[in-house]
Amino acid sequence: MKSNKVKRLLSLLLVLIIAVSTTVVGISSYSAAESGEGRVGEASDAEPSANEYQIVSPVPSGSSITPIEQPPRLDSLYNKRIALVGGSFSASVTHAVIRDLLEERYNCTTFYMTEEIGKSGTFNPNSISEKSRQFQQKLIEYNIDGVISGNCGCGICTVKETGNGLAAEYAGVPAVVVGAEAFVPQIESTGYNRGVPVVRTAAYPGAFASDTTAEQERKAREVLFPQIENAFVDEITDTERERIASAIAGVNHDDIVFTGSFERVQQFYETSEMSDGLTVVPPTRAKIEYYLQYCTYNATDIVNSRNGEVVDVPPANRRILAYHVAANAVMAGCPPEFMPICIGIVRLFANGNFYKSLASTHGWTPYVLVNGPIARQLGLSSQDGMINEEANKLLGRFISLAMLNLAGYKIKENRMGTFGYLQPFAFAEDEQACIQIGWNPYHVEKGYDLNTNVVTCGSTLTWGNPIEIGTTDPEKALQLLSWDVTEKQQNGLGNTNPREARMVWLTKQAAATIAQADGCGSKTGLKNTLVNTARRPLWMRTYAHYWANTGSKIHMNTTFDEHYNAIKSGASTENVERDIVSTTDVPEWLRGVVPYSQIDTTQTIEESNTSFVITGGDAARQIQIMPGGDCASINITLPTKYNTDAGISWDELVAREGYRPIGEFVITQ
């Protein structure tokens, strides 16, 4: 694996090389019309006649956030007032050691954890939350000289704990963020992309949760504290600023950044960290301009905007132009007619319900659901093998590149999946099957009209392992679904919120069977029924939270029975305000296992964040639970004669790619 420094050097060398080969390489985009909707004519954007490509950058330059002038570091630590905030990954252990050392060696006055000062959590300078404002006001009210925040040990908590430091820096208070070594790049990039050029860090060797309390205390004393001492008193240098900012290059959107053969283009993007490691289609100016005809945006229009204001797309917070969206669509191999969907996906990157989980160590996989006539017109599959159909695969590939180049997610820097990530995927819903069964399609459940074109982005923590409904008995089928819902939890054993978001896939046969169960004649009725039937024994929920909770070591502070009773009585945990616990009949699938007629159970379904999609064809009676992040949806806007420079309608545009008019794909109830 090349280091970033080596990659930058290779990139520089490649820019100086113009390799002209005599081999002619023909590159053409896939068109979904080839799957049977029509015949594609000659490509309107012919590739170079020689194996040489002039390519542009798929990465927007700059950030939507103006960097701040950071406050000076401290003249010394003697007699200073220091706030230790945060609370993740055994911060109660390491912060206590650091607090004692500050008081003993420097006569500091310390304000510890959340009891006195509170915390900011995730900090967005373009939209500062009330929680962040209150935190900053407390720092000023208490005359705080410095803030220590921690501990960063996972992708999501790193953003939150770094947010405490950013809020402090914006309030004029120097900060140091404590994190495991592997998460220091994420701390720094989070700060840079939110307007703090240099976030000072104290790096913890190894993983917090892997060490005993004694080892955590030793590392806090011998490793973290010396770093904290230096971080507070050493002034920030230009070298530090340049090191963190070196990856950001300011170029115009259509500048030619490299000229070379097809093979050299691949090397250039890989060494420049603009590729996901797979072969890309070279994004030439001519091809990008051709693609832009298929959307309602001009080349320099900002896609991530709402009511004239730029909306942040974490983690890089860039101004994303339609030109950059087209460049990534070309690179992914998407046909030009996919541009309206690609635009919608990028706009959804600004929605917290979609992006908030994408940096986590738990490896959420992003996905795209397309509803409406456009899905059928463009040949997006809702049948068996759907995500491996070519049109679906290309749209999934676009998400991969858009995450890297447009949003700014980089593996091991600010996308921290312990075991890595699956490739994103795309699919459609069998809306005709929904109508036949009597259920509304997904987008109609969300308030859209049946024939409105809608793209939805979400994420999941699982893949595969569906349940086979081996019965035509609707009530038994419902019980199997209920059981699987309680098994498919967020974060493996379900140590976090048991009512986390889920998308449930059902084949047509499975949906038709369950729709006959009592109360399940609609998707809404099914959700309400599952609130009562999909219940997890509280003992299992407590066991997971007690022993598998991320870095908190609850078992060192309370007994299992005490924790069980605390959850039962409505106590909050780190990830959920409270469990909804009741004494209920033993779930059907546990009869004969549990020697009681009733037990304490917790609710695992939330009506507002649970959705059902009929997809996957009708060759099997299967259900797949997709637990993970929330979903966000948006209209897909198609060009008309009145909102494109060319004055060409959508049907006229796609007709030259071989498609029938979109009106032929409208569904009537």
Side-chain angles (χ1 to χ4, degrees):
M1 188 70 181
K2 304 183 185 77
S3 68
N4 289 342
K5 186 174 182 181
V6 172
K7 284 187 175 184
R8 284 194 291 271
L9 288 173
L10 286 172
S11 177
L12 181 61
L13 289 173
L14 284 167
V15 171
L16 301 176
I17 297 172
I18 301 179
V20 180
S21 171
T22 58
T23 303
V24 176
V25 178
I27 306 296
S28 61
S29 290
Y30 162 82
S31 176
E34 295 174 354
S35 64
E37 297 300 337
R39 185 172 180 273
V40 181
E42 289 296 319
S44 303
D45 55 336
E47 292 294 344
S49 58
N51 185 20
E52 180 175 293
Y53 298 85
Q54 292 184 328
I55 56 172
V56 302
S57 171
V59 179
S61 61
S63 170
S64 64
I65 296 176
T66 303
I68 64 169
E69 185 72 32
Q70 290 182 252
R73 303 303 98 172
L74 304 179
D75 54 0
S76 77
L77 278 169
Y78 287 103
N79 302 314
K80 294 300 190 290
R81 297 165 68 86
I82 306 295
L84 297 100
V85 300
S88 301
F89 284 90
S90 300
S92 60
V93 176
T94 57
H95 275 16
V97 173
I98 294 167
R99 174 196 60 191
D100 292 345
L101 290 170
L102 286 169
E103 293 176 353
E104 292 167 6
R105 297 187 185 182
Y106 294 102
N107 195 36
C108 288
T109 301
T110 60
F111 300 85
Y112 186 58
M113 300 293 283
T114 60
E115 290 85 356
E116 297 162 283
I117 297 294
K119 56 185 176 181
S120 165
T122 302
F123 183 80
N124 183 347
N126 281 353
S127 180
I128 301 176
S129 68
E130 184 59 31
K131 184 178 179 181
S132 294
R133 293 189 189 280
Q134 291 175 358
F135 173 73
Q136 292 176 314
Q137 290 168 1
K138 281 286 187 180
L139 296 180
I140 296 170
E141 178 185 332
Y142 280 70
N143 294 315
I144 298 299
D145 296 303
V147 167
I148 300 170
S149 180
N151 289 329
C152 300
C154 76
I156 294 177
C157 69
T158 296
V159 177
K160 293 191 293 186
E161 304 300 0
T162 303
N164 298 324
L166 304 184
E169 295 278 351
Y170 269 85
V173 180
V176 180
V177 178
V178 179
E181 287 174 327
F183 291 87
V184 169
Q186 185 182 9
I187 296 170
E188 293 180 336
S189 64
T190 298
Y192 184 88
N193 290 322
R194 300 191 182 190
V196 178
V198 177
V199 178
R200 283 280 171 79
T201 63
Y204 182 94
F208 294 99
S210 299
D211 290 339
T212 64
T213 299
E215 184 67 3
Q216 289 174 341
E217 291 174 338
R218 183 191 69 77
K219 288 183 178 180
R221 182 172 55 255
E222 298 177 6
V223 182
L224 293 180
F225 192 73
Q227 295 179 70
I228 290 170
E229 290 177 297
N230 294 331
F232 269 132
V233 300
D234 293 343
E235 283 300 327
I236 294 172
T237 65
D238 289 340
T239 300
E240 285 180 280
R241 296 187 187 94
E242 290 168 4
R243 176 181 63 81
I244 295 173
S246 61
I248 307 299
V251 296
N252 293 322
H253 69 279
D254 60 349
D255 284 351
I256 300 300
V257 296
F258 182 74
T259 300
S261 68
F262 181 80
E263 294 78 10
R264 293 294 188 184
V265 166
Q266 308 307 314
Q267 294 173 3
F268 171 79
Y269 281 131
E270 197 271 331
T271 57
S272 301
E273 297 183 312
M274 297 177 184
S275 168
D276 56 3
L278 302 177
T279 302
V280 300
V281 177
T284 60
R285 284 173 171 169
K287 186 174 279 289
I288 291 170
E289 289 165 3
Y290 182 72
Y291 273 49
L292 287 169
Q293 296 179 51
Y294 288 75
C295 69
T296 60
Y297 288 76
N298 295 317
T300 57
D301 287 345
I302 297 174
V303 173
N304 55 314
S305 65
R306 186 182 303 126
N307 298 324
E309 297 291 331
V310 177
V311 182
D312 293 335
V313 175
N317 300 309
R318 296 163 174 153
R319 288 183 172 87
I320 301 170
L321 307 184
Y323 198 90
H324 297 120
V325 178
N328 282 274
V330 170
M331 290 173 67
C334 288
E337 59 268 23
F338 278 26
M339 272 298 290
I341 303 176
C342 293
I343 291 285
I345 291 169
V346 173
R347 294 187 66 194
L348 287 173
F349 272 117
N351 191 304
N353 286 333
F354 173 46
Y355 71 67
K356 67 181 179 182
S357 61
L358 297 183
S360 172
T361 52
H362 292 279
W364 270 270
T365 300
Y367 61 75
V368 166
L369 165 64
V370 182
N371 282 96
I374 194 171
R376 296 179 288 279
Q377 184 188 36
L378 299 186
L380 289 165
S381 178
S382 63
Q383 301 303 302
D384 54 303
M386 58 192 186
I387 74 165
N388 297 111
E389 293 290 342
E390 190 163 10
N392 298 42
K393 283 193 297 186
L394 294 175
L395 198 54
R397 177 76 191 289
F398 171 78
I399 305 168
S400 177
L401 291 173
M403 289 187 69
L404 173 66
N405 293 325
L406 302 182
Y409 289 100
K410 292 187 177 182
I411 303 296
K412 298 183 180 180
E413 178 180 308
N414 50 28
R415 197 160 188 241
M416 305 301 293
T418 302
F419 301 113
Y421 297 88
L422 300 176
Q423 276 287 87
F425 57 86
F427 62 102
E429 183 169 24
D430 188 343
E431 296 170 20
Q432 194 66 60
C434 290
I435 302 303
Q436 291 171 359
I437 290 170
W439 288 0
N440 283 323
Y442 176 88
H443 66 308
V444 176
E445 291 274 311
K446 296 299 179 182
Y448 295 94
D449 291 335
L450 176 61
N451 288 301
T452 298
N453 297 309
V454 177
V455 60
T456 298
C457 288
S459 58
T460 179
L461 285 165
T462 65
W463 176 252
N465 198 23
I467 57 171
E468 183 76 40
I469 305 298
T471 175
T472 56
D473 183 331
E475 300 303 329
K476 289 299 178 186
L478 177 62
Q479 289 168 11
L480 291 172
L481 171 59
S482 299
W483 181 8
D484 203 39
V485 166
T486 68
E487 293 292 319
K488 300 289 176 57
Q489 293 279 328
Q490 182 171 276
N491 299 353
L493 296 174
N495 57 290
T496 55
N497 185 358
R499 305 187 304 279
E500 99 276 357
R502 292 178 182 84
M503 178 175 279
V504 182
W505 291 359
L506 306 95
T507 63
K508 181 179 178 180
Q509 286 190 41
T513 300
I514 289 177
Q516 298 174 55
D518 188 34
C520 300
S522 67
K523 289 182 178 179
T524 301
L526 176 55
K527 296 175 192 178
N528 294 333
T529 300
L530 288 172
V531 168
N532 298 316
T533 60
R535 301 195 65 87
R536 193 180 198 201
L538 182 59
W539 193 92
M540 294 174 67
R541 155 69 170 147
T542 305
Y543 193 93
H545 191 258
Y546 191 75
W547 292 109
N549 191 267
T550 318
S552 296
K553 297 188 175 181
I554 297 170
H555 61 280
M556 300 184 66
N557 303 311
T558 186
T559 68
F560 182 90
D561 287 344
E562 288 171 341
H563 196 51
Y564 180 100
N565 289 323
I567 294 178
K568 182 177 179 179
S569 63
S572 64
T573 64
E574 294 90 339
N575 306 97
V576 60
E577 183 177 350
R578 69 181 181 92
D579 277 46
I580 301 177
V581 179
S582 301
T583 301
T584 67
D585 291 340
V586 172
E588 191 69 24
W589 53 92
L590 291 176
R591 293 185 183 275
V593 177
V594 177
Y596 309 104
S597 60
Q598 291 192 318
I599 58 173
D600 294 330
T601 60
T602 187
Q603 181 179 322
T604 62
I605 280 284
E606 194 82 68
E607 192 276 336
S608 61
N609 65 4
T610 304
S611 54
F612 298 90
V613 176
I614 300 180
T615 193
D618 58 3
R621 189 180 284 109
Q622 289 187 341
I623 299 174
Q624 183 159 304
I625 313 293
M626 311 286 281
D630 292 326
C631 297
S633 302
I634 197 169
N635 285 61
I636 298 170
T637 304
L638 302 180
T640 69
K641 287 187 176 183
Y642 308 104
N643 61 13
T644 61
D645 290 339
I648 303 176
S649 70
W650 174 251
D651 281 340
E652 290 171 319
L653 282 166
V654 297
R656 64 192 189 190
E657 309 293 342
Y659 294 94
R660 304 201 310 269
I662 196 169
E664 295 184 23
F665 300 92
V666 167
I667 291 178
T668 56
Q669 287 181 294

